Amino acid sequence: MRKPLIAGNWKMNKTMAETKELISAIAPKVKDADCDVVVCVPYTDIQTAKRAAKGTNIKIGAENVHWAQSGAFTGEISADMLKELKVEYVIIGHSERRQYFGETDETVNKRVQAALDAKFKPIVCVGETEEERESGMTETVLLRQVTEGLKGFKSKDFDKIVIAYEPVWAIGTGKTATATDANNTIGYIRHVLAKKFHRSIAEKARILYGGSMNVKNCKELMAEEEIDGGLIGGASLKADDFAFIVNYDK
Ligand code: PEP
């Protein structure tokens, strides 16, 4: 049985004061959630978010991690730095990182290794662009992202690794994959895990859907068998909306 997980991705939003306010507003609304509840926040908000989430069922995550322990990597953050902040999750390979900051499957792979070494749970994002989808390349792209991005990881690593299928054309656009499409594509990712890794890995790996998931479509998406949760961008910035999605089964 895979425990559902709903994770917020705040991207580059919220100051420390706003973080305290938003986490404090979310906490009482999600306290009876049946799923794992995660909020991934900007680095400068992590400490505030951890404090505000203390004693609640909300886990805090970061939005990236570098593979080196330290060094000349201006603007990056190391696992040791995040460890001191006691984050539990970290988003890796988000399409915005791939699109605007040159993230590749190879760097994703190295970042996942660093996250696992630090005992974080990596949320590894994969997904096709609109052009790739229109030219019938969705499966080819996902096959490459999953096999290259997760190359070398073993069965026990998949107790921690979470995959988020996020079609790039659905992120922040208000366009969502239909529940059936998302379910089928996540089913394909599971098939890749079974073929390239092991059937037991395909069965246990949690695979989320992300891309304009909101209060209107969350119940339908979460009712699908292959979808183990959601990575939520825009809707995670509003306490009521995020809590509604977390409580999708109520
Ligand atoms: C995301 O950033 O991972 C995301 C899914 O964003 P949105 O929900 O806004 O589409």
Side-chain angles (χ1 to χ4, degrees), residues 3-9 26 30 33-40 57-60 89 123 162 206-210 213-214 218-219 221-223 227-233 235-236 241-249:
K3 188 170 184 196
L5 186 164
I6 300 290
N9 172 19
I26 292 169
V30 301
D34 299 314
C35 61
D36 285 336
V37 185
V38 178
V39 179
C40 298
N57 55 336
I58 302 173
K59 313 263 189 255
I60 302 302
Y89 286 79
I123 301 176
V162 177
R206 291 195 285 186
I207 310 183
L208 318 180
Y209 169 77
M213 193 158 164
N214 56 37
C218 63
K219 284 182 195 282
L221 285 159
M222 289 303 295
I227 302 180
D228 301 322
L231 183 56
I232 321 295
S236 73
D241 288 16
F242 186 62
F244 185 94
I245 298 170
V246 166
N247 294 313
Y248 67 90
D249 59 342

Side-chain angles (χ1 to χ4, degrees), residues 35-88:
C35 61
D36 285 336
V37 185
V38 178
V39 179
C40 298
V41 303
Y43 306 128
T44 48
D45 293 334
I46 292 172
Q47 203 160 20
T48 310
K50 284 291 296 185
R51 277 197 200 121
K54 199 167 175 202
T56 76
N57 55 336
I58 302 173
K59 313 263 189 255
I60 302 302
E63 296 179 15
N64 206 355
V65 62
H66 197 267
W67 55 88
Q69 253 184 337
S70 60
F73 300 103
T74 304
E76 289 280 342
I77 194 143
S78 76
D80 279 352
M81 294 167 185
L82 293 174
K83 238 165 139 177
E84 279 192 348
L85 294 167
K86 299 193 166 43
V87 304
E88 291 172 61

Side-chain angles (χ1 to χ4, degrees), residues 143 146-147 158 163 186-205 207:
L143 176 67
V146 172
T147 47
F158 286 86
I163 297 173
I186 290 177
Y188 173 72
I189 294 172
R190 231 178 264 293
H191 163 79
V192 170
L193 290 177
K195 255 186 98 174
K196 300 281 178 182
F197 296 85
H198 195 271
R199 204 163 51 117
S200 61
I201 290 176
E203 277 161 16
K204 75 174 166 180
I207 310 183

